[in-house]
Each structure stands twice: as structure tokens, then as C-alpha cells.
Amino acid sequence: MSHNKSATGTCQVCGQTFPVRELVAAPIVRDNIAAEIRREYPEWNESASICRTDLARYRAQYVHALLLSEKGELSTLENEVVRSLQNHQTLASDVDSDFDENRSFGERLADRIADFGGSWTFLISFALFIVAWVVMNSLVLYWRPIDPFPYILLNLLLSCLAAIQAPVIMMSQNRQEAKDRLRARNDYQVNLKAELEIRHLHEKIDHLVSHQWERMIDIQEVQLDLLNELRHPR
């Protein structure tokens, strides 16, 4: 028994000699901690030993690295989302402005006529014109009217105006329908992109939560090792 108490060994990390009870064999060290040791000491193998002081230092270093990696992953996640939003093509656009910039002269003229023809200004002006025409052609006592009753020339003018105005309004309506189709397509693309981004974020959050649970388990295992060593010292 006294021979076992006086037995000594060398720490593979610091190179100092310690009693055997102050050394921990490599197979007992957790794999994650052993990987940290091998990064600084590639010669670490299964037959090596490490003192408790250096083992505690590597355990603290491993836990600290876990916490830093978790914090770094959060910032990386945020930066990745921002980059994905910045690098992808912006789908939201002003369809009305883009559509109006490409109008030809005839299309602009049709829109102006359609806007004026569907306004109260046109209705009031047209009513005043008809009243003035009827009044002027009804004063037979003062001069010879150009278009006497039943105002055949006025009917011809109204028919020509309706024949010209209807196709012009239809052209403007067709352009408005094309604009509405472009607006609906753009809205669909924006909604689809938003849905994909939200789904991507959900996947990222689920992945992050699973990694956090794994890290918490690793930290708890390291803590359990420390508690076991405190309860059962050699």
C-alpha cells in the first residue's frame, strides 16, 4: 500500500512529475477534452496521463469555447439572414411607375382621353355643349339654324364621339388590366419569397436549438465528471 502511495508519473502536458493519484489516464478523459489537448499536444495518446490541474484548465477551455461558439453562431445566423436578404434580387417594385415609363405616345394619349372621358368635367362640359347647341339651333326667328330640329348633325357628332371614345377607353382598360396582372404577379413573388424566408428562418432556429441542447448536454457531462471526482477523490 505504501508502494502505491509513493508511485509517481509524468504529466504529458506540463512534463512535471506527480503522484499517481494526481494523474488522470488518457482513456478516462472525455473525447471532446482529449481533442482539445491534441490540438496543442499532438503526441497525446491513449497511454498518456495528465495532471488534474491541466485537466481542469482544458475543461474550462472547452466550456469557454462552447459558449463562444454558441454566441458566434448566433451572430453568424443573423449575418447570414441579412446577407441572404441583401444579395437576393429585390422582388418588391413599383409596378405602376415601371409600367408608365414604358408607355408610347398613343398609350399616353389613350389614358388621357379615358381619364377625361370618365370625369365630371367631361360630363358637365358635354351637357353644356348640348344645351348650347340646342339653344342656338332653336332660335329660328333670328337667323337660319345650322342644325334645325331634330338636330341630325348633333346626332352624327354624338355617334362619331361614341364610336371613337369606346375603342380609346377599351385600350386604356386593356393597359390597366395588364398593369393589374403585373401587380398581382409581383405580389405573388413577394409573398412567395417571404414564405420561403420564414421557412428558412424556422429551419435555422430549429437547427440552432438542437445545437444548443447538444452543448448543454456536453457542459453537463463535464460538470458531472467534476462532481464525480469531488465525491470520489483518489
Side-chain angles (χ1 to χ4, degrees):
M1 183 67 65
S2 62
H3 177 73
N4 293 333
K5 290 183 180 180
S6 61
T8 60
T10 303
C11 175
Q12 190 73 23
V13 175
C14 63
Q16 297 181 4
T17 302
F18 295 91
V20 176
R21 64 178 181 273
E22 296 295 332
L23 296 175
V24 178
I28 303 177
V29 179
R30 192 173 298 279
D31 295 338
N32 296 329
I33 308 299
E36 292 288 334
I37 299 175
R38 289 192 186 94
R39 290 175 185 174
E40 298 183 7
Y41 298 93
E43 65 275 8
W44 174 268
N45 51 41
E46 295 296 327
S47 61
S49 299
I50 185 173
C51 64
R52 296 186 181 275
T53 303
D54 291 334
L55 181 60
R57 178 169 57 87
Y58 278 104
R59 283 173 176 169
Q61 181 178 339
Y62 173 69
V63 173
H64 183 66
L66 283 179
L67 296 176
L68 286 179
S69 63
E70 181 177 353
K71 182 178 179 182
E73 185 173 353
L74 285 174
S75 60
T76 303
L77 175 62
E78 295 173 356
N79 292 330
E80 183 178 356
V81 173
V82 173
R83 284 195 303 269
S84 65
L85 293 176
Q86 292 177 349
N87 295 333
H88 284 76
Q89 182 181 1
T90 302
L91 298 178
S93 61
D94 191 356
V95 178
D96 295 337
S97 298
D98 297 339
F99 198 81
D100 293 338
E101 289 178 356
N102 299 323
R103 291 186 304 171
S104 62
F105 174 77
E107 292 174 342
R108 289 195 299 269
L109 181 61
D111 291 339
R112 292 290 183 86
I113 295 175
D115 293 338
F116 178 72
S119 63
W120 280 105
T121 303
F122 171 77
L123 293 177
I124 296 173
S125 301
F126 192 66
L128 294 176
F129 171 78
I130 294 177
V131 171
W133 185 278
V134 172
V135 171
M136 291 176 60
N137 289 277
S138 297
L139 298 177
V140 184
L141 298 177
Y142 294 96
W143 62 80
R144 184 178 177 85
I146 299 175
D147 185 22
F149 184 83
Y151 313 115
I152 298 175
L153 182 58
L154 178 61
N155 291 328
L156 178 61
L157 294 176
L158 294 178
S159 299
C160 292
L161 178 62
I164 295 174
Q165 190 179 20
V168 172
I169 294 176
M170 290 181 63
M171 286 189 295
S172 179
Q173 289 179 347
N174 291 334
R175 291 190 62 258
Q176 186 63 39
E177 291 178 358
K179 185 188 298 184
D180 293 338
R181 286 193 296 268
L182 289 177
R183 188 183 295 110
R185 180 181 177 182
N186 183 256
D187 292 340
Y188 170 75
Q189 291 177 341
V190 172
N191 293 334
L192 180 61
K193 182 176 183 292
E195 181 180 355
L196 294 176
E197 290 291 345
I198 292 173
R199 184 179 300 177
H200 183 65
L201 288 177
H202 278 296
E203 293 177 355
K204 289 286 188 179
I205 292 174
D206 293 339
H207 180 70
L208 179 60
V209 170
S210 64
H211 273 277
Q212 286 179 338
W213 278 108
E214 292 177 359
R215 291 190 178 96
M216 289 294 296
I217 292 173
D218 290 338
I219 293 174
Q220 289 179 354
E221 289 178 352
V222 173
Q223 292 175 347
L224 290 175
D225 291 341
L226 294 174
L227 291 175
N228 291 329
E229 291 182 1
L230 292 176
R231 292 178 180 176
H232 306 285
R234 293 188 178 182

